Amino acid sequence: APGKTAPQVQVLGPLRLTEIGPAPLAPALANLAAVLVFTNFRDYGTIANRMDSAKPWSPETMAQQMSRLRARLGLDSTGHPYLRPKPKGVEQYTLSEEVTVDWADFLHLSERGLPHGPAGILDLEAALALVRGRPFGEAGAHNWAAGLVQNMVSRIIDTAHTVAVLRTRDDILDVDSARDAIRLGLDVEPTAEALYRDWMRIEHRANNTSGVLTVVDQVRQMARSWDSPLQESTEELIRQLTTGRGAIKGL
């Protein structure tokens, strides 16, 4: 329909749906929408177990929740419900392809930008701009998505790392943008040592000695908090940056 925007399931941060009206959406319905988006075989048993593996939804509960979600999603550009009614005897639920997910947008932008080096930086930064926090927010009701979350976190960290490296190049130098990418990546995964190393290199590139030392303190505090020794590559970089040996190759 003219001007109509389809609902989007947003998982790059706390789970939410957009374009479904101003009324709050029950967390169970948001979770159900995400399950439908990320599940290939949408039969009753698969969805019921993903919604609550300890106490799978009954057929009656499934029908009620599907009806509620259908009402909130509304109608697509053809006038049909985004979540199609399931006729008797049909095994799978059907969701309109017009329903989108921010993760697909992230992948599109990052994969378009990565092969092009500096020329792809705006796509990479646009991908990071979609990230609001750790995918799916906190654990709990989204245990079914644990594998997805790990994959998303890895891709976000890789993208943040690439932006940080590119933004310290002379031709597209932007120290603030490099810092922003690192902070976003560490917000998603606070234990990502590769990002701390990038951050140290950024501050070194900016001739910010106090900034380097601040990052060193933060990465050591992270290691203490997680009771895990730092990687040797991190320790070596700290030695190089704090013993007056000068610039590091590649900076």
Side-chain angles (χ1 to χ4, degrees):
K4 182 175 179 60
T5 303
Q8 182 174 73
V9 178
Q10 297 188 340
V11 300
L12 296 177
L15 177 59
R16 69 184 186 186
L17 269 68
T18 62
E19 304 299 332
I20 58 169
L25 183 69
L29 293 185
N31 195 23
L32 177 57
V35 167
L36 289 169
V37 165
F38 286 100
T39 300
N40 291 326
F41 196 73
R42 302 182 182 122
D43 64 303
Y44 159 74
T46 299
I47 296 173
N49 278 283
R50 288 197 167 190
M51 293 306 300
D52 190 339
S53 59
K55 189 179 179 182
W57 282 2
S58 68
E60 294 77 15
T61 298
M62 180 73 73
Q64 291 171 358
Q65 298 290 58
M66 286 288 184
S67 178
R68 290 170 183 157
L69 180 60
R70 184 176 300 113
R72 289 305 307 272
L73 292 176
L75 305 179
D76 67 12
S77 62
T78 69
H80 295 93
Y82 285 107
L83 177 55
R84 308 292 198 245
K86 186 167 74 65
K88 188 174 182 180
V90 173
E91 188 173 9
Q92 295 198 58
Y93 294 90
T94 302
L95 190 67
S96 168
E97 293 184 357
E98 292 180 18
V99 177
T100 61
V101 59
D102 58 352
W103 174 236
D105 293 339
F106 180 95
L107 288 177
H108 171 71
L109 289 164
S110 62
E111 290 174 357
R112 188 171 69 180
L114 280 171
H116 301 293
I121 189 65
L122 295 182
D123 279 337
L124 299 177
E125 289 176 339
L128 290 180
L130 299 175
V131 180
R132 298 173 289 112
R134 188 171 180 84
F136 283 86
E138 298 301 322
H142 314 126
N143 289 337
W144 62 271
L148 282 170
V149 169
Q150 190 54 53
N151 180 45
M152 291 174 184
V153 167
S154 295
R155 295 296 292 263
I156 292 168
I157 290 172
D158 288 346
T159 304
H161 163 74
T162 303
V163 168
V165 170
L166 290 173
R167 280 302 188 186
T168 54
R169 288 176 51 134
D170 289 337
D171 49 346
I172 56 169
L173 178 64
D174 189 331
V175 170
D176 287 338
S177 293
R179 288 174 177 142
D180 289 343
I182 294 303
R183 288 169 185 146
L184 184 146
L186 289 176
D187 183 51
V188 169
E189 180 48 78
T191 66
E193 279 189 48
L195 296 185
Y196 283 103
R197 293 194 294 271
D198 289 334
W199 195 0
M200 283 184 262
R201 293 186 179 101
I202 291 166
E203 300 306 335
H204 185 272
R205 179 71 169 79
N207 295 316
N208 183 6
T209 302
S210 64
V212 172
L213 295 177
T214 296
V215 180
V216 170
D217 288 342
Q218 290 192 24
V219 73
R220 291 203 184 284
Q221 178 59 49
M222 180 277 293
R224 287 192 295 269
S225 298
W226 289 87
D227 193 23
S228 176
L230 291 176
Q231 297 169 9
E232 179 54 35
S233 55
T234 303
E235 294 285 11
E236 177 60 24
L237 181 61
I238 292 172
R239 286 192 292 271
Q240 290 178 345
L241 293 179
T242 58
T243 57
R245 297 182 181 179
I248 300 172
K249 291 181 180 180
L251 287 178

